[in-house]
Amino acid sequence: MLAEMRGRILTVRGPMDPNDLGITLIHEHLFFDLSCYYHRPRDPKGKKLTNQSIKLSNLGWIRQNSMNSIPNIRLHEDKITVAEVKRFREFGGQSVVDATSVGIGRNPLGLAKVSARTGVNIIAGSGYYVHPSHPKDMDTRTIEDLRKEIVSDIAEGIDGTGLRAGLIGEIGTSWPLHPNEEKSVRAAARAHNDLGAPVSIHPGQHPESPMQIIDVLREEGVDPHRVVMSHIENRYREKLELYQKLADTGCNLGFDTFGRDQFFASAGRHHPSDDLRIDMISALVRSGYSGHIMVAQDCCFRSDLTKYGGHGYGHILENILPRLRNKGVSDHDIHQILVENPKRFLAFQ
Ligand SMILES: [Zn+2]
């Protein structure tokens, strides 16, 4: 445990009192590089469009083929991110978790600039994403090597910048669990045991994956209350009892792909709709699980941003809250989901 961090939240601008956190998105990407998923199109149209910058005439194709467009899967311009985060701020947003782990475009200096220019608190991630993004020598790295990397990112700073991660994750896993991903999950657990930092898991596509990862974390002595299972609506869909069973372990549920309404190439199916997300959240709230729910949009494509015709970081505050209220979710429960749960989860313990 880092004594100076007990009960505090660690942002890229330093430790913070949880009471200052406010409305929080639990899983976004403010800069990203998903080149590890890029597939060069073989068809004539794809070949022609793959390098084209985004414009109205190719946006329809990009939305259907998000991983086949190079400009779509990379974002590194501070100016664009600042403008997009400002929109979240205008709707009352105060804090964002940048769940970008190693290998997918993590940019601590960019995050610090965006935080300074927008006034939004930003919590940076650490650890490794799914195996296609791993470094070439991952087979030879040990759990202990990976644990030390995470501890260093949180205790000292990322890549010599002095800017510290405040979250372990998103830790990427697949189904079946890749051996190097298992090492990475165990290293995340051990770093968590050392430091008391919160843990964010990206589960495999199969609905059994979230519970499998919880079992590994519990084996390592992690209390599931300190874990958020990301993208949960994409794994459990309309199966209410699966969400409840996972929450019964103490685990937090990340409904974090609001606004995504496109074909999900790596899973070979379409994303669930905002309607389904809203139905599941309202059913979970009615059955007493509001203390386990957190939300976000997981913006990780250029086409997710408002500048490029997307829904952007303000989508939940602008469009989803009224719909949740219409479904009977009270302001008290909305406050719990947007403010109280992130406050409790992100504070080091
Ligand atoms: Zn993500």
Short mmCIF file of all heavy atoms in Angstrom, two decimals, residues 27 29 99 129 170 202 231 298, ligand 1:
data_model
loop_
_atom_site.label_atom_id
_atom_site.label_comp_id
_atom_site.label_asym_id
_atom_site.label_seq_id
_atom_site.Cartn_x
_atom_site.Cartn_y
_atom_site.Cartn_z
N HIS A 27 -14.47 4.51 -18.31
CA HIS A 27 -13.64 3.81 -19.29
C HIS A 27 -13.69 4.52 -20.65
O HIS A 27 -14.60 4.29 -21.44
CB HIS A 27 -14.15 2.36 -19.44
CG HIS A 27 -13.27 1.49 -20.28
ND1 HIS A 27 -12.76 0.28 -19.83
CD2 HIS A 27 -12.79 1.63 -21.54
CE1 HIS A 27 -12.03 -0.26 -20.78
NE2 HIS A 27 -12.03 0.54 -21.83
N HIS A 29 -10.97 6.33 -23.93
CA HIS A 29 -9.62 6.43 -24.49
C HIS A 29 -9.50 7.82 -25.11
O HIS A 29 -10.21 8.13 -26.07
CB HIS A 29 -9.39 5.33 -25.53
CG HIS A 29 -9.53 3.97 -24.94
ND1 HIS A 29 -8.51 3.36 -24.23
CD2 HIS A 29 -10.59 3.12 -24.86
CE1 HIS A 29 -8.94 2.19 -23.77
NE2 HIS A 29 -10.20 2.02 -24.14
N ALA A 99 -8.60 4.48 -19.81
CA ALA A 99 -8.25 3.08 -19.52
C ALA A 99 -7.25 2.52 -20.53
O ALA A 99 -7.17 1.31 -20.75
CB ALA A 99 -9.52 2.23 -19.51
N TYR A 129 -2.84 -4.79 -22.44
CA TYR A 129 -4.11 -5.07 -23.13
C TYR A 129 -4.05 -6.51 -23.69
O TYR A 129 -3.17 -7.30 -23.33
CB TYR A 129 -4.30 -4.00 -24.21
CG TYR A 129 -5.65 -3.94 -24.85
CD1 TYR A 129 -6.80 -3.84 -24.09
CD2 TYR A 129 -5.78 -3.98 -26.24
CE1 TYR A 129 -8.06 -3.79 -24.69
CE2 TYR A 129 -7.03 -3.92 -26.84
CZ TYR A 129 -8.16 -3.83 -26.06
OH TYR A 129 -9.38 -3.78 -26.67
N GLU A 170 -6.84 -0.84 -18.78
CA GLU A 170 -7.60 -2.04 -18.83
C GLU A 170 -6.67 -3.22 -19.12
O GLU A 170 -5.89 -3.18 -20.07
CB GLU A 170 -8.72 -1.97 -19.88
CG GLU A 170 -8.24 -1.71 -21.31
CD GLU A 170 -9.41 -1.63 -22.30
OE1 GLU A 170 -10.25 -2.54 -22.34
OE2 GLU A 170 -9.47 -0.61 -23.02
N HIS A 202 -10.65 -6.01 -19.14
CA HIS A 202 -11.33 -6.17 -20.43
C HIS A 202 -11.48 -7.69 -20.60
O HIS A 202 -10.50 -8.38 -20.88
CB HIS A 202 -10.45 -5.55 -21.52
CG HIS A 202 -10.82 -5.94 -22.92
ND1 HIS A 202 -11.38 -5.07 -23.82
CD2 HIS A 202 -10.68 -7.12 -23.58
CE1 HIS A 202 -11.57 -5.70 -24.97
NE2 HIS A 202 -11.16 -6.94 -24.86
N HIS A 231 -16.97 -3.40 -20.44
CA HIS A 231 -17.71 -3.87 -21.63
C HIS A 231 -18.70 -4.99 -21.29
O HIS A 231 -18.97 -5.87 -22.12
CB HIS A 231 -16.74 -4.40 -22.71
CG HIS A 231 -15.46 -3.63 -22.83
ND1 HIS A 231 -15.40 -2.26 -22.75
CD2 HIS A 231 -14.17 -4.05 -22.99
CE1 HIS A 231 -14.13 -1.88 -22.89
NE2 HIS A 231 -13.38 -2.93 -23.02
N ASP A 298 -16.37 4.32 -23.94
CA ASP A 298 -15.24 3.62 -24.54
C ASP A 298 -14.89 4.18 -25.92
O ASP A 298 -14.63 3.43 -26.87
CB ASP A 298 -15.52 2.10 -24.64
CG ASP A 298 -14.28 1.28 -24.94
OD1 ASP A 298 -13.16 1.77 -24.73
OD2 ASP A 298 -14.43 0.13 -25.40
ZN ZN B 1 -11.30 0.22 -23.69
#
